[in-house]
Amino acid sequence: MTTIVAFAITAVAVVLAVRAVRQIIQVIRLGQPAPERLSDPLSRTVVMLKETAGHTRMFKWGLIGAAHWFVMVGFIVLSLLVLEAYFEVVTPTGELPIIGHWVVFGFATEWIAVLGILGIVYLMAVRLANRPSRPGGRSRFTGSTMWQGYFVEWIVLLVLIFGFLIRGFKVATDHFAYPVWAAPVSHAIGAVLPSWEAGASVAAMVKIMISMTWLIVISLNVTMGVAWHRFLAFPNIWFKREPARAAGSGLGPLRPMTSEGKPLDFEEADPEKDQFGVAQVEQFTWKGLLDFSTCTECGRCQSQCPAWNTGKPLSPKLMILSLRDHAYAKAPYLLAGGGKDLTGEEKATEAQLAHMDVLAVAEGNRPLIGTEAEMGVIDPDVLWSCTTCGACVEQCPVDIEHVDHIVDMRRYQVLIESNFPSEAGVMLRNLENKGNPWGSPQNTREDWTKGLDFEIKRAGGDDDFEYLFWVGCAGAFEDKAKKTTRAVATLLHEAGVDFAILGEGETCSGDPARRIGNEFIYQMLAQQNVETLKEANVKKIVATCPHCFNTLGNEYKDLGLDVEVVHHTELLSHLVATGKLTPVNQVDGGVTYHDPCYLGRHNRVFAPPREVLGSSVKGGLTEMPRNQERSFCCGAGGARMWMEEKIGKRINIERTEEALATNAQTIAVGCPFCYTMLGDGVNAKGRHEDVEVVDVATVLLRSIKADNVPSA
């Protein structure tokens, strides 16, 4: 009887599982081509094994990472014990062929099961302690489908418990193959169980029923990411955008605009024939649809998101879940021949539509971006709350590329619908007409040099130079940032660095245009800059703005520019280390450092600014709780610098309060946007008289030459 029940439920589970896998594959294949995801298979395999077996993301969470690792290893290794249960359900003395008697196998599975139980109990406790329904409310699990998490965790626990019951009954009936030293827990359980000959078979039947119930439930719920990520995480990590990138795939450069898997050429592109961004869920690449399917609803992205933490409607997790649910609900309509072409016309005939699932057709007619009244999948406020800080991408244990997906949706809204926050329109017009987001006259780009007691070379002449000093728009036009520009120039001069500037030949790198979604303006500015840099025979660039640093160093490669780009803190750190700059008057009063998102998280430049400050500050740095890769955004990225923050608490205030809580008298930054945002935050908190926000370069200059700090 036990055999019949076990094999019957297994047959049902396998049939449903095969159907579910086919359904998931069908949905993922609806996405657009992404041929670049197949490159360098060896590197991809190595990275995937390193991330999964090494749990490189999860271990950042300490005990949670360790517990999850034991549960993962238990799921993989102890699947052999589920297989063994099919032998045990037939006869109480059954075991796996060949390895069933190996003491090493018995020892390994015994302790993996013990640690798996401890791990899953700890994870269950964490989920219960952070349940959204508890007093106090929001947590990283807010919005997650909680019953699914509880269900999966209880299944894991019960399977492990019944594994020990099987072994216990074998011990009690003297059918157990392993000695006490190899399996002490099993022997201890067997000592208290009755000598029931059929006990092992009955326990094996229950274990199989529990396991197959899990498989049946997840097969009937293909959007149950908390379960399906166990299988989908491996390919999702394997297919990540840049597996070898130190900063992590999905960080740093944005994914280029593509149509049918090929980069879009704006000189020949036609909106009626080529895809401009994403307007329908099936216009994401197949990797995007795999991303949505893989989300485990853990909420780590949500817990780190600056928008979510300050009361904005954006949760990276909830956005991904909305896209996932929409994709699977719309899939029957798409698979039956429905869908919209690039002009918005229905592809299916009336006859085809008449035979389609009505709910799927209704789902297909929902706008991807729209308000609740418009039945939109993603609310516009969600889309425009993102600062592209990358905290979600950095935290995601399965390498979902949230920022790329957000910018793809922005691209369609900006380029085709002309639908974006109105105040950003001024910035875009200034970029297009003046070459900078502030709309300042181009002939004032060199005004920051006035008053310096040394001459600065201009690139493009006959003089050679080692570094091009990329000043950036903020460094040239914004009053606070000019102080940094002058400080860096002074330090380079003091150190004897041979550098030059482009002056009026420089224009905006295009970062704000690209991150708001206006790829056309970005391409226009970037191509102009690439041509200028090539004509000036530039080999090395030093930039004070992390956004320029990221764009020049990572994104201009797609346009044929291959130069070495460093951030000014990297060069200054090198100059201090080599003795070309020597701090002698250390700054007192306490200093804390704010990691800019595009310098730290996106490009992994953490040590150089700290090295500079460490040499210049008395008593060392006082770190904020959220630092380095977990640094909290200032609120200005993703072109948010030029958009009003109307919902929730201001992000810069949240970060400023964290900095002020360190009691440091100086808040050091390495980005002109952070300089402005944190400076405004200090003013808003009424602390401008006793707390100063300055760039790392200014701190260093004060420690070298206290009487020569340049002013704007």
Side-chain angles (χ1 to χ4, degrees):
M1 185 65 182
T2 55
T3 305
I4 294 172
V5 171
F7 282 88
I9 194 171
T10 300
V12 173
V14 169
V15 169
L16 291 175
V18 169
R19 187 186 72 171
V21 170
R22 290 182 61 189
Q23 186 178 351
I24 291 170
I25 291 173
Q26 283 180 322
V27 171
I28 292 170
R29 291 183 65 186
L30 288 169
Q32 299 302 304
E36 73 280 2
R37 303 287 181 166
L38 303 174
S39 64
D40 196 4
L42 178 60
S43 176
R44 290 180 178 278
T45 303
V46 169
V47 170
M48 183 270 289
L49 291 174
K50 180 181 176 182
E51 282 199 26
T52 52
H55 253 41
T56 52
R57 299 289 180 90
M58 292 296 295
F59 275 128
K60 294 178 181 178
W61 289 78
L63 279 176
I64 290 177
H68 191 276
W69 187 84
F70 286 121
V71 172
M72 180 199 73
V73 171
F75 177 80
I76 296 171
V77 175
L78 300 183
S79 295
L80 291 172
L81 296 187
V82 175
L83 178 60
E84 187 175 54
Y86 285 93
F87 293 89
E88 294 162 335
V89 81
V90 174
T91 172
T93 60
E95 61 187 21
L96 281 175
I98 303 175
I99 64 174
H101 267 81
W102 287 3
V103 174
V104 172
F105 176 70
F107 177 84
T109 51
E110 177 89 356
W111 290 106
I112 288 172
V114 169
L115 293 170
I117 287 176
L118 294 175
I120 197 64
V121 168
Y122 177 71
L123 294 179
M124 292 169 79
V126 168
R127 187 179 293 271
L128 285 169
N130 291 280
R131 66 192 185 281
S133 59
R134 77 195 191 290
R138 288 166 37 130
S139 75
R140 66 183 175 93
F141 293 117
T142 299
S144 297
T145 313
M146 294 300 287
W147 76 262
Q148 295 180 353
Y150 295 138
F151 172 77
V152 167
E153 288 166 347
W154 272 105
I155 289 289
V156 171
L157 181 60
L158 290 172
V159 167
L160 292 171
I161 289 172
F162 273 87
F164 276 115
L165 285 176
I166 294 170
R167 288 186 163 194
F169 278 117
K170 281 188 170 183
V171 170
T173 54
D174 202 26
H175 297 315
F176 197 50
Y178 314 121
V180 175
W181 68 264
V185 177
S186 297
H187 278 275
I189 293 172
V192 299
L193 289 177
S195 181
W196 179 25
E197 197 66 33
S201 291
V202 172
M205 179 192 71
V206 175
K207 180 177 179 177
I208 290 170
M209 290 178 66
I210 293 170
S211 300
M212 293 305 108
T213 298
W214 174 79
L215 190 55
I216 289 169
V217 170
I218 73 166
S219 297
L220 295 174
N221 294 273
V222 290
T223 59
M224 193 172 175
V226 69
W228 281 106
H229 86 278
R230 295 182 176 200
F231 310 105
L232 297 178
F234 297 98
N236 204 56
I237 294 170
W238 198 93
F239 288 118
K240 65 163 69 180
R241 176 151 59 90
E242 294 180 274
R245 182 172 167 76
S249 185
L251 293 172
L254 283 174
R255 180 177 173 272
M257 271 184 74
T258 60
S259 181
E260 297 183 352
K262 299 176 183 177
L264 200 63
D265 183 349
F266 276 90
E267 293 184 2
E268 300 179 0
D270 181 350
E272 295 188 1
K273 298 178 182 178
D274 297 300
Q275 181 180 317
F276 279 58
V278 169
Q280 304 288 335
V281 73
E282 65 273 18
Q283 291 178 350
F284 288 105
T285 66
W286 59 260
K287 173 57 169 66
L289 295 176
L290 178 58
D291 270 359
F292 308 154
S293 304
T294 306
C295 179
T296 183
E297 304 189 24
C298 67
R300 287 178 177 80
C301 58
Q302 180 172 287
S303 69
Q304 298 295 303
C305 176
W308 176 260
N309 275 279
T310 55
K312 314 290 190 296
L314 169 63
S315 156
K317 177 186 72 176
L318 298 181
M319 181 195 74
I320 293 295
L321 298 186
S322 295
L323 292 169
R324 178 198 69 189
D325 294 344
H326 173 59
Y328 279 84
K330 186 178 180 180
Y333 159 68
L334 296 171
L335 292 168
K340 304 292 192 296
D341 63 21
L342 293 173
T343 64
E345 296 297 318
E346 175 61 59
K347 295 178 183 178
T349 63
E350 289 189 15
Q352 286 177 304
L353 289 171
H355 293 88
M356 289 181 188
D357 183 326
V358 175
L359 293 178
V361 174
E363 193 72 28
N365 287 321
R366 292 180 66 190
L368 189 65
I369 306 299
T371 62
E372 185 177 355
E374 296 167 332
M375 296 292 289
V377 179
I378 304 296
D379 191 276
D381 285 333
V382 168
L383 188 67
W384 298 112
S385 291
C386 179
T387 66
T388 69
C389 71
C392 50
V393 179
E394 193 276 334
Q395 286 293 311
C396 181
V398 293
D399 276 313
I400 293 171
E401 296 162 3
H402 312 71
V403 173
D404 280 343
H405 304 321
I406 288 171
V407 173
D408 271 341
M409 290 186 284
R410 285 182 170 188
R411 284 164 168 166
Y412 181 82
Q413 294 299 306
V414 172
L415 294 171
I416 302 300
E417 297 290 337
S418 295
N419 188 10
F420 50 88
S422 57
E423 60 269 24
V426 177
M427 178 268 292
L428 290 173
R429 285 192 296 273
N430 286 336
L431 285 174
E432 190 169 11
N433 299 324
K434 300 289 189 177
N436 69 84
W438 282 275
S440 300
Q442 187 69 359
N443 61 10
T444 63
R445 265 196 183 268
E446 298 182 32
D447 284 1
W448 65 269
T449 63
K450 294 176 180 177
L452 293 177
D453 57 4
F454 55 91
E455 289 295 320
I456 298 178
K457 291 182 184 178
R458 297 326 187 248
D462 296 330
D463 292 338
D464 291 331
F465 54 90
E466 183 180 7
Y467 283 95
L468 175 80
F469 179 17
W470 183 273
V471 176
C473 299
F477 300 119
E478 209 277 325
D479 288 341
K480 289 181 180 178
K482 285 182 185 179
K483 297 177 183 178
T484 302
T485 307
R486 292 164 64 85
V488 170
T490 302
L491 288 166
L492 295 181
H493 175 72
E494 290 280 333
V497 175
D498 188 9
F499 71 99
I501 61 172
L502 286 173
E504 294 182 25
E506 183 181 302
T507 191
C508 181
S509 67
D511 165 85
R514 188 168 221 200
R515 268 129 191 100
I516 202 173
N518 198 319
E519 188 76 5
F520 177 79
I521 291 179
Y522 163 73
Q523 292 285 342
M524 177 187 74
L525 295 169
Q527 287 172 0
Q528 179 181 335
N529 282 326
V530 168
E531 187 176 326
T532 300
L533 292 168
K534 284 183 176 180
E535 287 178 358
N537 197 29
V538 173
K539 296 292 186 288
K540 296 180 181 180
I541 296 175
V542 55
T544 56
C545 175
H547 298 264
C548 296
F549 164 70
N550 177 70
T551 303
L552 296 168
N554 294 323
E555 298 184 332
Y556 279 17
K557 291 177 182 177
D558 293 338
L559 301 175
L561 183 70
D562 187 14
V563 298
E564 178 187 345
V565 183
V566 299
H567 188 252
H568 72 283
T569 58
E570 293 180 289
L571 181 54
L572 295 179
S573 175
H574 171 72
L575 295 174
V576 171
T578 55
K580 294 181 179 179
L581 291 173
T582 305
V584 292
N585 302 305
Q586 290 192 317
V587 176
D588 202 355
V591 176
T592 190
Y593 173 65
H594 163 77
D595 288 274
C597 299
Y598 273 84
L599 181 64
R601 188 159 40 241
H602 278 278
N603 286 283
R604 286 302 188 267
V605 178
F606 299 123
R610 286 174 169 80
E611 290 166 354
V612 173
L613 292 171
S615 67
S616 310
V617 175
K618 188 177 294 184
L621 279 178
T622 303
E623 292 281 10
M624 286 183 260
R626 292 178 288 197
N627 61 74
Q628 299 196 50
E629 68 269 12
R630 290 191 186 177
S631 177
F632 196 78
C633 182
C634 75
R640 289 293 322 176
M641 181 81 171
W642 294 274
M643 290 184 262
E644 287 297 321
E645 199 170 341
K646 301 174 182 176
I647 304 172
K649 183 179 182 180
R650 295 184 67 88
I651 294 172
N652 68 318
I653 297 297
E654 172 82 3
R655 185 55 165 171
T656 300
E657 288 174 350
E658 187 172 359
L660 293 175
T662 67
N663 293 319
Q665 293 179 13
T666 301
I667 303 172
V669 298
C671 170
F673 291 177
C674 299
Y675 196 158
T676 296
M677 299 301 280
L678 295 183
D680 289 350
V682 168
N683 290 337
K685 300 298 292 184
R687 296 290 302 278
H688 55 282
E689 291 185 2
D690 60 321
V691 176
E692 184 182 23
V693 179
V694 294
D695 190 89
V696 170
T698 299
V699 176
L700 177 60
L701 184 59
R702 287 176 179 175
S703 71
I704 289 172
K705 208 172 184 179
D707 61 342
N708 189 24
V709 180
S711 57

